[in-house]
Amino acid sequence: MHKRQQPGRRTVLGAAALGAGAAVFGGAGQASAAGRAGVPQELPVPLIVGHRGASGYRPEHTFGSYQLALDMGADVIEQDLVPTKDGHLVCRHENDITATTDVSAHPEFAERKTTKTVDGAKLTGWFTEDFTLAELKTLRAKERIPGTRQHNTVYDGVWEVPTFEEVLRWAEREGRERGRRVWLHIETKHPTYFRKLGLGLEGRVAKALRAHGRHRRNSPNFLQSFEPSSIQRLGKLVDCPKVVLLSTLDSRPWDFVEAGDPRTVADLVTPEGLKWLAGFAQGIGPDLTVIIPRDKDGKLGEPTSVVKDAHAAGLVLHPYTVRNENTFLPADYRRGTDPDAYGDALGVFKAYLGTGIDGLFSDNPDTALLAAAEFRKR
């Protein structure tokens, strides 16, 4: 078992990371951030983010998924934002809605099918920026990976594509009913791509947050993006905490590609790179392989120094994403031969949480919370 980080130290590090410009999270029985006026201590360490809601059990980015994640006890609920043709923000993991809606079954939209290049990837399908909000509202969401999650297909067609505005109102309503704030983890998707289309995301996100009083440093949301420049833009508009998402070590953020910046994620997780990120962000959200790489056989290797180095730079870590199914798990945690069956997901959660990370994204918030409870007690 990997050496586990003591919760008190993680809480202090979280305070250091977020005290300068955002909310700090802590929990009962953990070290407090005494002396930091107005800094809430309402989130536990490590926290669990419901990835696209509870997408292991309901079609992703639907109110069915968000509500279930909240009811399961997820500490934070994630939204990915893309724009419509008429400038509204909607919650989809990608602007390509071919796999997540029933758009292909609508003959009135058959001619909207097209091929586009998004962040260097050539895609054929239907895209949110080619639909008005009214048109999108005629569609219904469906399970993105029905071969793996056949049980989720029973909910195909139940829910609409939610708007960001609807999610903000939902969070306010649920917060009033529960007597506590509902936290969100909000991602700008393909911001450079949309900026070129005249559909910039940052201003729209900031306007919505300000309308609901969620733009302050102690507001109950995180902002996240795979493009550091999007986080920098958001930092000029709102004060809430910001997280730079990082893909695999050999990848480059798309805004770096566009700008001719040669740095890779491997460069960004060096002490120098992390110091640069800490100049405008309060956290990072790395791919799990950045925290614990997999060997040539697909098994978990030894943890890297990224957790220690990020904490030293004053950054918190919310890596992504743990799922219960064998197909997503390291080879040494799979059980049986069915790729869609559950493996030793609890074991994987504990391996990652044992590195001292401050939070974790999961499609299965209930499993993640069960594992996290052990770490919150110490």
Side-chain angles (χ1 to χ4, degrees):
M1 177 62 71
H2 306 301
K3 184 177 179 181
R4 292 171 177 169
Q5 195 81 22
Q6 291 301 314
R9 180 171 177 267
R10 288 206 300 276
T11 305
V12 171
L13 285 164
L18 299 179
V24 176
F25 36 80
Q30 296 176 329
S32 68
R36 297 189 184 276
V39 175
Q41 289 285 296
E42 62 194 86
L43 292 180
V45 179
L47 60 82
I48 298 302
V49 182
H51 185 237
R52 313 176 198 175
S55 54
Y57 310 108
R58 301 290 187 273
E60 65 188 37
H61 289 312
T62 61
F63 277 113
S65 186
Y66 295 155
Q67 188 69 50
L68 182 59
L70 188 63
D71 291 344
M72 284 179 165
D75 304 300
V76 189
I77 313 297
E78 186 200 30
Q79 295 77 46
D80 297 310
L81 301 183
V82 293
T84 65
K85 182 178 182 179
D86 49 348
H88 295 275
L89 295 175
V90 294
C91 301
R92 293 286 88 188
H93 180 249
E94 295 292 341
N95 53 324
D96 181 355
I97 55 172
T98 309
T100 62
T101 71
D102 63 354
V103 63
S104 63
H106 285 251
E108 68 272 25
F109 299 134
E111 293 183 356
R112 304 277 179 96
K113 188 175 184 179
T114 187
T115 298
K116 300 189 179 192
T117 300
V118 181
D119 293 4
K122 191 173 183 179
L123 305 170
T124 298
W126 289 264
F127 299 83
T128 59
E129 65 267 27
D130 296 331
F131 291 78
T132 65
L133 178 59
E135 289 172 333
L136 273 183
K137 282 295 187 179
T138 67
L139 308 180
R140 290 297 181 269
K142 67 177 184 179
E143 173 55 37
R144 179 178 60 89
I145 46 174
T148 299
R149 292 174 173 166
Q150 191 278 332
H151 54 279
N152 282 9
T153 63
V154 70
Y155 304 105
D156 286 356
V158 174
W159 295 289
E160 299 178 347
V161 173
T163 67
F164 186 41
E165 173 64 28
E166 289 169 341
V167 169
L168 292 172
R169 293 200 302 264
W170 166 80
E172 289 178 353
R173 183 174 64 253
E174 288 291 329
R176 288 193 300 269
E177 293 178 358
R178 295 165 187 263
R180 62 175 178 82
R181 304 195 299 176
V182 172
W183 281 72
L184 307 176
H185 221 303
I186 304 157
E187 181 181 348
T188 56
K189 299 292 297 189
H190 310 301
T192 295
Y193 169 84
F194 285 119
R195 195 174 302 117
K196 287 183 173 182
L197 296 180
L199 292 169
L201 298 175
E202 294 85 4
R204 289 176 168 83
V205 172
K207 182 179 180 180
L209 292 176
R210 287 184 174 278
H212 290 265
R214 280 181 166 259
H215 62 289
R216 304 180 179 89
R217 71 173 189 172
N218 63 344
S219 295
N221 39 249
F222 301 92
L223 298 178
Q224 55 175 337
S225 182
F226 279 99
E227 296 189 17
S229 62
S230 184
I231 294 298
Q232 290 172 320
R233 287 171 180 267
L234 286 164
K236 297 177 182 178
L237 301 173
V238 293
D239 294 326
C240 39
K242 301 164 192 73
V243 175
V244 176
L245 300 171
L246 301 169
S247 189
T248 54
L249 289 173
D250 60 350
S251 67
R252 292 166 65 200
W254 186 252
D255 54 341
F256 282 20
V257 175
E258 292 273 350
D261 188 327
R263 288 178 295 173
T264 65
V265 168
D267 296 314
L268 295 181
V269 296
T270 63
E272 180 182 7
L274 291 165
K275 182 179 179 181
W276 178 74
L277 290 171
F280 56 88
Q282 289 72 48
I284 58 173
D287 183 272
L288 288 168
T289 59
V290 175
I291 305 298
I292 306 179
R294 298 188 188 187
D295 66 19
K296 60 181 178 61
D297 297 317
K299 297 180 180 180
L300 277 190
E302 290 299 315
T304 67
S305 65
V306 170
V307 174
K308 173 180 68 68
D309 294 340
H311 282 165
L315 294 164
V316 295
L317 298 98
H318 295 172
Y320 66 94
T321 304
V322 179
R323 302 171 171 96
N324 285 1
E325 293 93 350
N326 276 325
T327 191
F328 301 115
L329 297 175
D332 43 338
Y333 288 86
R334 296 169 191 161
R335 297 294 178 264
T337 58
D338 182 354
D340 302 328
Y342 283 4
D344 181 15
L346 276 174
V348 173
F349 279 112
K350 291 177 182 179
Y352 287 115
L353 293 170
T355 65
I357 57 177
D358 306 282
L360 189 62
F361 284 77
S362 178
D363 291 10
N364 307 91
D366 52 346
T367 313
L369 287 161
L370 185 62
E374 177 182 336
F375 292 82
R376 294 175 181 180
K377 292 175 182 176
R378 293 194 306 279

CSV table of all heavy atoms in Angstrom, one decimal, residues 11 15 24 31-37 39 41:
chain,number,residue,atom,x,y,z
A,11,THR,N,-5.4,19.5,4.4
A,11,THR,CA,-6.3,20.6,4.6
A,11,THR,C,-5.5,21.9,4.7
A,11,THR,O,-5.9,22.9,4.1
A,11,THR,CB,-7.0,20.4,6.0
A,11,THR,OG1,-7.7,19.2,5.9
A,11,THR,CG2,-8.0,21.6,6.2
A,15,ALA,N,-5.8,25.1,2.2
A,15,ALA,CA,-5.9,26.5,2.6
A,15,ALA,C,-4.9,27.4,2.0
A,15,ALA,O,-5.2,28.5,1.5
A,15,ALA,CB,-5.8,26.5,4.2
A,24,VAL,N,-11.7,27.8,0.4
A,24,VAL,CA,-10.9,26.7,1.0
A,24,VAL,C,-11.8,25.6,1.4
A,24,VAL,O,-12.9,25.9,1.9
A,24,VAL,CB,-10.1,27.2,2.2
A,24,VAL,CG1,-9.3,26.1,2.8
A,24,VAL,CG2,-9.1,28.3,1.8
A,31,ALA,N,-7.9,19.9,10.3
A,31,ALA,CA,-7.3,21.2,10.7
A,31,ALA,C,-8.1,22.4,10.1
A,31,ALA,O,-8.5,22.3,8.9
A,31,ALA,CB,-5.8,21.3,10.2
A,32,SER,N,-8.3,23.4,10.9
A,32,SER,CA,-9.1,24.5,10.4
A,32,SER,C,-8.1,25.6,9.8
A,32,SER,O,-6.9,25.6,10.0
A,32,SER,CB,-9.9,25.2,11.5
A,32,SER,OG,-9.0,25.8,12.4
A,33,ALA,N,-8.7,26.4,8.9
A,33,ALA,CA,-8.0,27.5,8.4
A,33,ALA,C,-8.3,28.8,9.2
A,33,ALA,O,-8.7,29.8,8.7
A,33,ALA,CB,-8.4,27.7,6.9
A,34,ALA,N,-7.9,28.7,10.5
A,34,ALA,CA,-8.2,29.8,11.4
A,34,ALA,C,-7.5,31.0,10.9
A,34,ALA,O,-6.4,31.0,10.4
A,34,ALA,CB,-7.8,29.4,12.8
A,35,GLY,N,-8.2,32.2,11.0
A,35,GLY,CA,-7.6,33.4,10.6
A,35,GLY,C,-7.9,33.8,9.2
A,35,GLY,O,-7.6,35.0,8.8
A,36,ARG,N,-8.5,33.0,8.4
A,36,ARG,CA,-8.8,33.3,7.1
A,36,ARG,C,-10.3,33.7,7.1
A,36,ARG,O,-11.2,32.9,6.9
A,36,ARG,CB,-8.6,32.1,6.1
A,36,ARG,CG,-7.1,31.7,6.1
A,36,ARG,CD,-6.9,30.8,4.9
A,36,ARG,NE,-5.5,30.3,4.9
A,36,ARG,CZ,-4.5,30.9,4.3
A,36,ARG,NH1,-4.7,32.1,3.7
A,36,ARG,NH2,-3.3,30.5,4.3
A,37,ALA,N,-10.5,35.0,7.2
A,37,ALA,CA,-11.9,35.5,7.4
A,37,ALA,C,-12.7,35.2,6.1
A,37,ALA,O,-12.3,35.4,5.0
A,37,ALA,CB,-11.9,37.0,7.6
A,39,VAL,N,-13.6,32.4,4.8
A,39,VAL,CA,-13.2,31.2,4.1
A,39,VAL,C,-14.0,30.0,4.6
A,39,VAL,O,-13.9,29.6,5.8
A,39,VAL,CB,-11.7,30.9,4.2
A,39,VAL,CG1,-11.4,29.6,3.5
A,39,VAL,CG2,-10.9,32.0,3.6
A,41,GLN,N,-15.4,26.3,5.4
A,41,GLN,CA,-14.8,25.0,5.6
A,41,GLN,C,-15.8,23.9,5.5
A,41,GLN,O,-16.1,23.1,6.4
A,41,GLN,CB,-14.2,25.0,7.1
A,41,GLN,CG,-12.9,25.8,7.2
A,41,GLN,CD,-11.7,25.2,6.6
A,41,GLN,OE1,-11.3,24.1,7.0
A,41,GLN,NE2,-11.2,25.8,5.6
